[in-house]
């Protein structure tokens, strides 16, 4: 990792909006064509970084990448649910996962961006194992947590991709869970077994890994703080959920970024972002969801610029 990148991570106040498929709009390509072309993806992300002057960008922020790749290994079509037996059959096929076309594109893009943008922090995005299992099977998060073998398979898939990204030199990793059930003592042990190897992998490769959720139940916070090293809180979460901490990260709704600059700043001032900034404890600010390709382009440009100026 370069000196500039190390200094950026140490300083914090990193703004990394989840921009990815928006690049298809810039390249004037259908999304499916864009996703399979590493040159187009790399050029679009480089253009986005240069246009906004971002300190960090998502190297490949496709939330459907892992679910689609695993489903395709079973010969099913995207968004089709797998049976438990089909999921179990994936257990010894993780090498094949890395030969999936879109997975290879993601790794290729990350390597290219290391050369094209050597001083920009490259961010990876992974489905959390619980959410990955939910998306593969259609089961609820609570039901998934009662299926240890299913969770083991999904953890292996996440680890396989995390290690591959680590080899490319990724700088930051988000592990995103849609939701987790209420964690009693037994489920807390299950989650520790699932998460520990992921965060150990991050330590091995030397990048910070952050658990991101749209909602954190008060009952689960203590468990999650013991289990993972860093959390990304919704910006409007109650202060007792996220503080105090030396480094705090937040996510904001994409809709906030489409508001006039004055309203954006007012929102940041009254939520956790403003408090963390004043306390010099803000680490990363991102968006709760991906900025879609059909967003109001001019409004989004103004929004990103307003946030960057606010964080300076």
């Amino acid at each position: 990792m370069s000196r500039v990148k190390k200094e950026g991570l140490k300083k914090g106040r990193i703004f990394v909006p989840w921009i990815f498929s928006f690049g298809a709009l810039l390249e004037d390509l259908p999304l499916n064509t864009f996703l399979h072309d590493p040159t187009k993806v790399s050029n679009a992300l480089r253009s986005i970084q240069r246009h906004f002057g971002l300190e960090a960008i998502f190297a490949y922020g496709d939330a459907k990448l892992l679910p689609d790749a695993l489903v395709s290994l079973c010969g099913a079509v995207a968004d089709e649910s797998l049976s438990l037996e089909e999921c179990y059959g994936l257990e010894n096929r993780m090498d094949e996962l890395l030969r999936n076309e879109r997975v290879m594109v993601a790794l290729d893009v990350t390597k290219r961006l290391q050369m094209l943008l050597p001083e920009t922090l490259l961010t990876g995005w992974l489905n959390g194992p619980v959410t990955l299992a939910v998306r593969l099977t259609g089961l609820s998060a609570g039901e998934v947590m009662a299926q240890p073998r299913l969770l083991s398979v999904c953890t292996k898939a996440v680890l396989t991709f995390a290690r591959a990204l680590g080899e490319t030199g990724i700088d930051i990793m988000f592990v995103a869970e849609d939701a987790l059930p209420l964690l009693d003592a037994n489920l807390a042990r299950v989650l520790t077994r699932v998460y520990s190897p992921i965060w150990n992998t991050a330590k091995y490769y030397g990048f910070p890994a952050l658990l991101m959720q749209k909602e954190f139940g008060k009952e689960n916070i203590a468990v999650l703080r013991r289990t993972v090293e860093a959390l990304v809180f919704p910006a409007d979460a109650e202060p007792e959920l996220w503080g105090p901490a030396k480094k705090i990260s937040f996510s904001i709704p994409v809709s906030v970024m489409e508001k006039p600059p004055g309203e954006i700043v007012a929102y940041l001032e009254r939520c956790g972002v403003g408090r963390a900034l004043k306390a010099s404890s803000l680490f990363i600010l991102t968006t709760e969801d991906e900025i879609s390709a059909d967003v109001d382009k001019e409004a989004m440009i103004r929004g990103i610029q307003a946030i960057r100026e606010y964080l300076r």
Side-chain angles (χ1 to χ4, degrees):
M1 186 181 294
S2 70
R3 178 182 58 82
V4 172
K5 288 185 177 184
K6 289 179 181 178
E7 290 176 353
L9 287 173
K10 183 178 180 180
K11 181 188 72 172
R13 302 203 309 274
I14 300 164
F15 179 43
V16 52
W18 184 359
I19 304 175
F20 182 65
S21 59
F22 186 72
L25 182 65
L26 294 180
E27 292 291 328
D28 194 26
L29 286 173
L31 180 58
N32 192 54
T33 302
F34 176 75
L35 294 176
H36 290 82
D37 190 327
T39 300
K40 295 294 186 183
V41 174
S42 301
N43 288 341
L45 293 176
R46 178 174 60 174
S47 296
I48 288 168
Q49 188 278 333
R50 287 181 171 176
H51 183 82
F52 294 113
L54 296 167
E55 307 96 327
I57 61 169
F58 279 90
Y60 199 90
D62 182 5
K64 297 182 68 177
L65 176 63
L66 272 185
D68 285 357
L70 292 170
V71 166
S72 71
L73 284 179
C74 295
V77 298
D79 298 323
E80 184 175 329
S81 294
L82 302 180
S83 67
L84 289 178
E85 289 303 318
E86 286 176 311
C87 291
Y88 300 157
L90 295 168
E91 196 164 12
N92 297 315
R93 301 180 65 187
M94 294 304 158
D95 287 345
E96 294 177 59
L97 174 64
L98 296 181
R99 294 196 292 273
N100 173 272
E101 183 182 358
R102 277 169 57 199
V103 171
M104 289 192 296
V105 168
L107 298 174
D108 188 5
V109 167
T110 308
K111 291 174 184 176
R112 293 181 187 216
L113 290 175
Q114 290 286 7
M115 295 183 287
L116 295 171
L117 301 170
E119 296 185 351
T120 301
L121 292 163
L122 300 182
T123 307
W125 196 98
L126 288 172
N127 301 102
V130 177
T131 295
L132 181 57
V134 168
R135 294 189 179 183
L136 289 179
T137 63
L139 298 174
S140 69
E143 291 169 330
V144 160
M145 293 289 283
Q147 299 288 340
R149 189 175 177 188
L150 173 63
L151 279 177
S152 175
V153 171
C154 290
T155 300
K156 283 185 178 181
V158 172
L159 275 173
T160 298
F161 192 40
R163 287 168 181 154
L165 285 172
E167 291 294 331
T168 69
I170 203 79
D171 301 303
I172 302 168
M173 182 73 71
F174 285 109
V175 180
E177 298 280 21
D178 291 339
L180 293 172
L182 178 63
L183 299 171
D184 58 21
N186 179 57
L187 291 183
R189 286 191 291 270
V190 171
L191 200 67
T192 298
R193 288 196 297 270
V194 169
Y195 282 170
S196 290
I198 298 172
W199 265 261
N200 287 339
T201 296
K203 285 182 183 179
Y204 175 80
Y205 285 103
F207 57 75
L210 301 91
L211 178 64
M212 182 174 174
Q213 274 187 260
K214 291 182 181 179
E215 293 183 14
F216 284 96
K218 293 181 180 180
E219 303 84 355
N220 287 346
I221 286 295
V223 172
L224 293 174
R225 285 189 183 280
R226 292 195 302 269
T227 307
V228 303
E229 292 191 359
L231 302 167
V232 181
F233 292 94
D236 55 3
E238 294 296 326
E240 57 264 28
L241 287 182
W242 51 263
K246 291 183 179 179
K247 287 187 175 182
I248 308 168
S249 299
F250 292 103
S251 63
I252 60 174
V254 172
S255 59
V256 169
M257 297 173 61
E258 296 182 274
K259 297 179 181 296
E263 291 185 29
I264 294 174
V265 171
Y267 172 83
L268 296 174
E269 279 286 305
R270 65 175 179 266
C271 72
V273 177
R275 299 185 186 193
L277 193 61
K278 290 172 184 175
S280 299
S281 58
L282 181 64
F283 182 40
I284 292 176
L285 178 64
T286 187
T287 50
E288 290 181 357
D289 299 292
E290 183 184 2
I291 297 171
S292 65
D294 60 358
V295 73
D296 183 328
K297 183 179 176 181
E298 295 305 319
M300 192 56 57
I301 290 171
R302 289 193 299 270
I304 291 174
Q305 291 173 338
I307 293 173
R308 288 197 69 246
E309 290 173 8
Y310 175 76
L311 294 180
R312 285 175 179 168

